[in-house]
Amino acid sequence: MHLTDDEQAMADGRDGPAVARAMDLLQRYGRALGAERLVATNNVVASISATTPFMRAYARSKGGMDAVFSEFSLDSDTVVAIPPVKTFTVHTQLGFDPGSAARMGVDEQTVHFYQQGEDWTNAHGVQATNTCTPYQVGNLPTRGEHCAWMESSAVIYCNSVLGARTNTEGRESVGAAMLTGRIPYWGYHRPENRVGTHRVTLGVDIVSTSDWGLLGYWIGEQVQERVPVVEGITQHIPNLARLKHFGAAASSSGGVEMYHLVGITPEAHSADMAYGGRKPLAELHFGAAERKRTWEQLNGTGRDLKVDYVMLGCPHYTIEQIWEAARLLAGRQVHPDCALWIFTPRAIKSLADRNGYTQTIEAAGGHLMTDSCSAMSRAAPKGTRVVALDSAKQAHYLPAILGVQAWYGSTEECIDAACSGQWRGVPA
Ligand code: F3S
């Protein structure tokens, strides 16, 4: 792999052993991918926290967070002192909400350990955004900007909606990127890999967030890791929340990291531009039958109509979605046999607190929570057997992770389930 003089100096130890280990990791990673060079980045989304029991035990026995970072982020066989980050780095979601630890079944010792870890992370210059939606809270890269992001739902938003460039990175590659400001130049960093491969035409209107979730889930299954191009969206232009759900769904059922919406997303002013002048490899059509089949698939585990738990906020809710949930809950009560947890970034919760939405949600018996979600934390209210969700991504993962039944529907249907304790959703 070709290294610039600056990169070679980092690899040779000019900036200390941790940076040299990071360069070694990036070269091994890049060679495995067939990358011929690295590219500069000043935008990293990373997971650094050590909230699993194994990592906590490792930190205790080997000497704290430097040891955890050396082993799990740099693949270093010796513990090296970790310097402050060189690049702008924000933290992804965590394993629990520190403000709701008891509710999520997390003990005080773990919370204390986590707080020490967060002190270490902050002292190294990492922003404690703690969300799967960094683009909502101040990390909004520009078109063409090279990034190194973790979290599939954020990656697809970054590439497709913002036109910035990233692959779905892992803890190790972003650990190396934040210390060096480099990431291998391959995959979606290269313009030729960003062009559309599959044409998707529509036989039904895609209007609601739930419609976008169904479309995304179906497309992901069809194209897997290719680049779909959706044509024919001229009315009902999707907002942030709809594209957030669409991308999260497509990256769950498949491994989609990039899509184009002709006339909407920045690299698809026209169909010709979206396909890069090439012919699509395949033609796909999403009509009423496909929508119905996808709804049935997402509701495939739902049998009992009595709902124990409603989880909203996957990916983390926008302030608009919190406003909508608060309006739907105003003057109502969550059923005594049901729980309602809504997840959002902590910065957006501050806004919801100031606007009074948190109070409305809490007054109704629900909870506005941050930093994590049920899938990440593997936590649900005690005794949960049946959940209701407005996220195709969460409906994809939660039954497998927690062994629960799941109903998928609109936000209105989910709030209705929280207040009635019953699933009364209408099939698509
Ligand atoms: Fe975010 Fe959890 Fe969904 S991390 S994307 S809310 S699975």
Side-chain angles (χ1 to χ4, degrees):
M1 176 183 286
H2 171 76
L3 298 185
T4 63
D5 290 347
D6 189 41
E7 290 161 356
Q8 190 62 58
M10 287 194 276
D12 292 342
R14 180 195 67 193
D15 299 342
V19 174
R21 297 291 157 93
M23 283 301 297
D24 176 58
L25 186 148
L26 287 174
Q27 288 179 81
R28 285 187 282 142
Y29 176 50
R31 276 197 293 270
L33 297 166
E36 290 167 5
R37 66 178 176 93
L38 304 173
V39 65
T41 178
N42 187 38
N43 192 321
V44 175
V45 173
S47 176
I48 303 163
S49 64
T51 48
T52 65
F54 181 75
M55 282 186 180
R56 287 199 299 276
Y58 192 89
R60 278 192 207 100
S61 64
K62 304 279 181 175
M65 282 301 291
D66 275 2
V68 171
F69 197 96
S70 298
E71 171 69 23
F72 297 102
S73 297
L74 294 182
D75 189 34
S76 169
D77 44 13
T78 57
V79 177
V80 287
I82 307 301
V85 298
K86 201 174 264 181
T87 57
F88 175 63
T89 301
V90 307
H91 204 285
T92 55
Q93 64 276 14
L94 301 174
F96 62 98
D97 171 5
S100 306
R103 186 178 303 125
M104 299 183 90
V106 177
D107 61 50
E108 275 181 28
Q109 203 189 7
T110 304
V111 177
H112 179 67
F113 179 88
Y114 157 73
Q115 277 159 349
Q116 287 178 325
E118 185 163 281
D119 289 345
W120 183 95
T121 306
N122 296 347
H124 283 71
V126 176
Q127 315 302 315
T129 42
N130 296 0
T131 177
C132 49
T133 59
Y135 47 86
Q136 288 205 76
V137 290
N139 189 353
L140 206 62
T142 52
R143 183 172 171 194
E145 183 175 346
H146 292 282
C147 304
W149 282 24
M150 290 178 70
E151 170 53 46
S152 62
S153 69
V155 164
I156 190 170
Y157 195 93
C158 181
N159 278 321
S160 314
V161 183
L162 304 178
R165 300 181 177 198
T166 184
N167 296 300
T168 305
E169 299 294 347
R171 183 182 181 111
E172 301 80 3
S173 54
V174 293
M178 69 180 82
L179 296 185
T180 60
R182 299 291 191 281
I183 197 75
Y185 183 70
W186 72 289
Y188 290 100
H189 291 285
R190 300 180 69 111
E192 66 271 25
N193 294 331
R194 299 174 65 83
V195 297
T197 58
H198 289 58
R199 184 200 309 273
V200 181
T201 53
L202 303 172
V204 287
D205 280 343
I206 308 297
V207 183
S208 66
T209 309
S210 162
D211 290 340
W212 280 96
L214 290 171
L215 177 64
Y217 198 78
W218 180 81
I219 285 178
E221 280 207 317
Q222 303 303 311
V223 311
Q224 291 297 312
E225 296 182 352
R226 309 309 290 267
V227 182
V229 178
V230 183
E231 298 190 25
I233 297 167
T234 51
Q235 296 177 318
H236 311 296
I237 302 302
N239 64 4
L240 191 167
R242 285 164 177 72
L243 294 184
K244 175 168 71 75
H245 279 264
F246 173 69
S251 60
S252 304
S253 57
V256 182
E257 293 173 75
M258 169 133 202
Y259 63 83
H260 300 283
L261 306 179
V262 174
I264 298 173
T265 53
E267 293 173 55
H269 295 171
S270 64
D272 198 42
M273 181 181 175
Y275 299 111
R278 298 183 201 158
K279 262 177 74 84
L281 300 176
E283 306 272 345
L284 302 167
H285 184 72
F286 183 77
E290 287 76 17
R291 181 171 66 181
K292 181 169 181 289
R293 210 168 52 237
T294 308
W295 187 93
E296 287 167 354
Q297 207 178 338
L298 283 168
N299 285 283
T301 60
R303 292 183 302 280
D304 301 335
L305 295 176
K306 184 181 169 306
V307 173
D308 309 304
Y309 172 40
V310 176
M311 197 216 102
L312 307 176
C314 170
H316 283 174
Y317 254 16
T318 65
I319 190 66
E320 182 191 0
Q321 290 179 293
I322 296 171
W323 169 63
E324 184 190 356
R327 284 201 306 180
L328 290 166
L329 279 167
R332 300 169 80 183
Q333 279 296 312
V334 172
H335 192 276
D337 296 336
C338 192
L340 171 65
W341 293 359
I342 304 175
F343 289 88
T344 194
R346 51 172 87 175
I348 290 182
K349 180 169 181 297
S350 301
L351 188 56
D353 293 349
R354 294 183 68 179
N355 277 345
Y357 306 147
T358 309
Q359 200 191 2
T360 304
I361 293 165
E362 300 273 344
H367 299 286
L368 187 61
M369 297 160 64
T370 65
D371 293 46
S372 193
C373 71
S374 285
M376 276 302 294
S377 62
R378 298 166 191 267
K382 209 158 182 258
T384 294
R385 290 178 52 252
V386 182
V387 300
L389 307 159
D390 69 350
S391 159
K393 174 172 180 172
Q394 197 76 200
H396 177 86
Y397 286 117
L398 214 52
I401 290 173
L402 295 182
V404 294
Q405 299 175 39
W407 292 106
Y408 169 77
S410 67
T411 305
E412 290 88 337
E413 288 169 339
C414 288
I415 296 280
D416 175 73
C419 295
S420 66
Q422 294 288 315
W423 181 252
R424 300 190 288 214
V426 179

Short mmCIF file of all heavy atoms in Angstrom, two decimals, residues 334-363:
data_model
loop_
_atom_site.label_atom_id
_atom_site.label_comp_id
_atom_site.label_asym_id
_atom_site.label_seq_id
_atom_site.Cartn_x
_atom_site.Cartn_y
_atom_site.Cartn_z
N VAL A 334 -50.80 5.65 29.58
CA VAL A 334 -50.28 4.32 29.19
C VAL A 334 -50.98 3.29 30.06
O VAL A 334 -51.18 3.50 31.27
CB VAL A 334 -48.75 4.27 29.37
CG1 VAL A 334 -48.21 2.87 29.16
CG2 VAL A 334 -48.07 5.25 28.41
N HIS A 335 -51.41 2.21 29.45
CA HIS A 335 -52.15 1.15 30.17
C HIS A 335 -51.28 0.59 31.31
O HIS A 335 -50.06 0.41 31.12
CB HIS A 335 -52.50 0.04 29.17
CG HIS A 335 -53.48 -0.94 29.69
ND1 HIS A 335 -53.12 -2.01 30.47
CD2 HIS A 335 -54.83 -1.00 29.56
CE1 HIS A 335 -54.21 -2.70 30.79
NE2 HIS A 335 -55.26 -2.11 30.25
N PRO A 336 -51.89 0.31 32.46
CA PRO A 336 -51.08 -0.18 33.59
C PRO A 336 -50.31 -1.47 33.31
O PRO A 336 -49.28 -1.72 33.94
CB PRO A 336 -52.11 -0.41 34.71
CG PRO A 336 -53.44 0.01 34.18
CD PRO A 336 -53.29 0.53 32.79
N ASP A 337 -50.78 -2.27 32.36
CA ASP A 337 -50.07 -3.53 32.05
C ASP A 337 -49.09 -3.38 30.88
O ASP A 337 -48.62 -4.38 30.32
CB ASP A 337 -51.08 -4.63 31.71
CG ASP A 337 -51.96 -4.96 32.90
OD1 ASP A 337 -51.52 -4.70 34.05
OD2 ASP A 337 -53.10 -5.43 32.69
N CYS A 338 -48.86 -2.13 30.46
CA CYS A 338 -47.99 -1.91 29.31
C CYS A 338 -46.95 -0.84 29.66
O CYS A 338 -47.18 -0.01 30.54
CB CYS A 338 -48.83 -1.45 28.11
SG CYS A 338 -47.95 -1.47 26.54
N ALA A 339 -45.80 -0.86 29.00
CA ALA A 339 -44.77 0.17 29.21
C ALA A 339 -44.47 0.84 27.87
O ALA A 339 -44.58 0.20 26.81
CB ALA A 339 -43.50 -0.47 29.76
N LEU A 340 -44.10 2.11 27.94
CA LEU A 340 -43.72 2.86 26.74
C LEU A 340 -42.36 3.50 26.96
O LEU A 340 -42.20 4.33 27.87
CB LEU A 340 -44.77 3.95 26.46
CG LEU A 340 -44.40 4.96 25.36
CD1 LEU A 340 -44.29 4.28 24.00
CD2 LEU A 340 -45.44 6.09 25.31
N TRP A 341 -41.37 3.09 26.16
CA TRP A 341 -40.04 3.69 26.19
C TRP A 341 -39.79 4.31 24.81
O TRP A 341 -39.96 3.64 23.79
CB TRP A 341 -38.95 2.65 26.46
CG TRP A 341 -38.97 2.00 27.81
CD1 TRP A 341 -39.84 2.25 28.85
CD2 TRP A 341 -38.08 0.98 28.28
NE1 TRP A 341 -39.54 1.45 29.92
CE2 TRP A 341 -38.46 0.66 29.61
CE3 TRP A 341 -37.00 0.29 27.72
CZ2 TRP A 341 -37.80 -0.33 30.37
CZ3 TRP A 341 -36.34 -0.68 28.46
CH2 TRP A 341 -36.74 -0.97 29.78
N ILE A 342 -39.35 5.57 24.83
CA ILE A 342 -39.02 6.27 23.58
C ILE A 342 -37.55 6.69 23.66
O ILE A 342 -37.14 7.32 24.63
CB ILE A 342 -39.91 7.52 23.38
CG1 ILE A 342 -41.40 7.13 23.42
CG2 ILE A 342 -39.56 8.22 22.08
CD1 ILE A 342 -42.35 8.33 23.36
N PHE A 343 -36.78 6.37 22.63
CA PHE A 343 -35.33 6.65 22.65
C PHE A 343 -34.96 7.79 21.70
O PHE A 343 -35.49 7.88 20.58
CB PHE A 343 -34.53 5.39 22.28
CG PHE A 343 -34.57 4.35 23.36
CD1 PHE A 343 -35.59 3.40 23.40
CD2 PHE A 343 -33.62 4.33 24.37
CE1 PHE A 343 -35.65 2.45 24.41
CE2 PHE A 343 -33.66 3.38 25.38
CZ PHE A 343 -34.68 2.44 25.41
N THR A 344 -34.06 8.64 22.16
CA THR A 344 -33.61 9.80 21.39
C THR A 344 -32.19 10.15 21.83
O THR A 344 -31.75 9.72 22.89
CB THR A 344 -34.59 10.98 21.63
OG1 THR A 344 -34.36 12.00 20.66
CG2 THR A 344 -34.44 11.58 23.02
N PRO A 345 -31.45 10.93 21.03
CA PRO A 345 -30.14 11.40 21.52
C PRO A 345 -30.32 12.29 22.74
O PRO A 345 -31.33 13.00 22.85
CB PRO A 345 -29.59 12.22 20.35
CG PRO A 345 -30.39 11.82 19.16
CD PRO A 345 -31.73 11.40 19.67
N ARG A 346 -29.30 12.34 23.62
CA ARG A 346 -29.47 13.14 24.85
C ARG A 346 -29.59 14.63 24.52
O ARG A 346 -30.29 15.35 25.23
CB ARG A 346 -28.39 12.86 25.88
CG ARG A 346 -26.98 12.92 25.39
CD ARG A 346 -25.99 12.83 26.54
NE ARG A 346 -25.64 11.47 26.90
CZ ARG A 346 -24.72 11.17 27.82
NH1 ARG A 346 -24.08 12.12 28.45
NH2 ARG A 346 -24.45 9.92 28.11
N ALA A 347 -28.96 15.09 23.45
CA ALA A 347 -29.07 16.51 23.09
C ALA A 347 -30.52 16.84 22.70
O ALA A 347 -31.02 17.92 23.00
CB ALA A 347 -28.13 16.83 21.94
N ILE A 348 -31.18 15.91 22.05
CA ILE A 348 -32.58 16.17 21.65
C ILE A 348 -33.51 16.03 22.85
O ILE A 348 -34.50 16.75 22.96
CB ILE A 348 -32.96 15.26 20.47
CG1 ILE A 348 -32.19 15.74 19.23
CG2 ILE A 348 -34.46 15.28 20.22
CD1 ILE A 348 -32.47 15.01 17.97
N LYS A 349 -33.15 15.16 23.78
CA LYS A 349 -33.97 15.07 25.00
C LYS A 349 -33.93 16.41 25.75
O LYS A 349 -34.95 16.84 26.31
CB LYS A 349 -33.51 13.94 25.91
CG LYS A 349 -34.36 13.86 27.18
CD LYS A 349 -34.12 12.62 27.99
CE LYS A 349 -35.02 12.58 29.23
NZ LYS A 349 -34.76 13.67 30.16
N SER A 350 -32.77 17.08 25.76
CA SER A 350 -32.69 18.39 26.43
C SER A 350 -33.71 19.35 25.81
O SER A 350 -34.38 20.10 26.52
CB SER A 350 -31.32 19.03 26.25
OG SER A 350 -30.35 18.20 26.77
N LEU A 351 -33.82 19.30 24.50
CA LEU A 351 -34.79 20.17 23.82
C LEU A 351 -36.22 19.75 24.18
O LEU A 351 -37.08 20.60 24.45
CB LEU A 351 -34.55 20.04 22.31
CG LEU A 351 -35.28 20.97 21.37
CD1 LEU A 351 -35.03 22.44 21.73
CD2 LEU A 351 -34.82 20.71 19.93
N ALA A 352 -36.45 18.44 24.20
CA ALA A 352 -37.79 17.95 24.57
C ALA A 352 -38.13 18.32 26.01
O ALA A 352 -39.30 18.64 26.32
CB ALA A 352 -37.85 16.42 24.39
N ASP A 353 -37.12 18.31 26.88
CA ASP A 353 -37.35 18.73 28.28
C ASP A 353 -37.81 20.19 28.29
O ASP A 353 -38.79 20.54 28.95
CB ASP A 353 -36.06 18.63 29.11
CG ASP A 353 -35.60 17.18 29.30
OD1 ASP A 353 -36.37 16.26 28.98
OD2 ASP A 353 -34.45 16.99 29.78
N ARG A 354 -37.10 21.03 27.55
CA ARG A 354 -37.40 22.47 27.57
C ARG A 354 -38.75 22.76 26.92
O ARG A 354 -39.44 23.71 27.31
CB ARG A 354 -36.30 23.25 26.86
CG ARG A 354 -34.98 23.19 27.60
CD ARG A 354 -33.92 24.01 26.94
NE ARG A 354 -34.20 25.43 27.05
CZ ARG A 354 -33.41 26.38 26.58
NH1 ARG A 354 -32.30 26.06 25.98
NH2 ARG A 354 -33.73 27.65 26.71
N ASN A 355 -39.11 21.96 25.93
CA ASN A 355 -40.40 22.19 25.25
C ASN A 355 -41.58 21.58 26.00
O ASN A 355 -42.72 21.77 25.59
CB ASN A 355 -40.36 21.59 23.84
CG ASN A 355 -39.71 22.52 22.84
OD1 ASN A 355 -39.53 23.70 23.11
ND2 ASN A 355 -39.37 22.00 21.69
N GLY A 356 -41.31 20.82 27.04
CA GLY A 356 -42.39 20.22 27.81
C GLY A 356 -42.86 18.87 27.30
O GLY A 356 -43.77 18.26 27.86
N TYR A 357 -42.22 18.35 26.23
CA TYR A 357 -42.67 17.06 25.67
C TYR A 357 -42.33 15.91 26.62
O TYR A 357 -43.09 14.95 26.74
CB TYR A 357 -42.04 16.79 24.30
CG TYR A 357 -42.23 17.90 23.31
CD1 TYR A 357 -41.26 18.18 22.35
CD2 TYR A 357 -43.40 18.67 23.30
CE1 TYR A 357 -41.43 19.21 21.43
CE2 TYR A 357 -43.58 19.69 22.39
CZ TYR A 357 -42.58 19.96 21.46
OH TYR A 357 -42.74 20.98 20.56
N THR A 358 -41.17 16.01 27.26
CA THR A 358 -40.78 14.94 28.20
C THR A 358 -41.83 14.85 29.31
O THR A 358 -42.26 13.74 29.68
CB THR A 358 -39.40 15.25 28.81
OG1 THR A 358 -38.49 15.54 27.75
CG2 THR A 358 -38.88 14.08 29.62
N GLN A 359 -42.24 16.02 29.78
CA GLN A 359 -43.23 16.04 30.87
C GLN A 359 -44.55 15.41 30.40
O GLN A 359 -45.17 14.64 31.12
CB GLN A 359 -43.43 17.49 31.30
CG GLN A 359 -44.02 17.61 32.67
CD GLN A 359 -44.45 19.06 32.95
OE1 GLN A 359 -44.33 19.93 32.09
NE2 GLN A 359 -44.95 19.28 34.14
N THR A 360 -44.97 15.73 29.17
CA THR A 360 -46.22 15.16 28.64
C THR A 360 -46.11 13.64 28.56
O THR A 360 -47.04 12.90 28.94
CB THR A 360 -46.50 15.73 27.23
OG1 THR A 360 -46.52 17.14 27.31
CG2 THR A 360 -47.81 15.21 26.66
N ILE A 361 -44.96 13.17 28.07
CA ILE A 361 -44.76 11.72 27.93
C ILE A 361 -44.74 11.05 29.31
O ILE A 361 -45.38 10.02 29.53
CB ILE A 361 -43.47 11.44 27.12
CG1 ILE A 361 -43.65 11.91 25.68
CG2 ILE A 361 -43.09 9.96 27.18
CD1 ILE A 361 -42.35 12.03 24.88
N GLU A 362 -44.01 11.66 30.25
CA GLU A 362 -43.92 11.08 31.60
C GLU A 362 -45.28 11.14 32.30
O GLU A 362 -45.66 10.20 33.00
CB GLU A 362 -42.87 11.84 32.43
CG GLU A 362 -41.45 11.80 31.85
CD GLU A 362 -40.63 10.60 32.27
OE1 GLU A 362 -41.02 9.92 33.24
OE2 GLU A 362 -39.59 10.34 31.62
N ALA A 363 -46.02 12.24 32.11
CA ALA A 363 -47.34 12.38 32.75
C ALA A 363 -48.29 11.29 32.26
O ALA A 363 -49.17 10.83 32.99
CB ALA A 363 -47.92 13.76 32.48
#
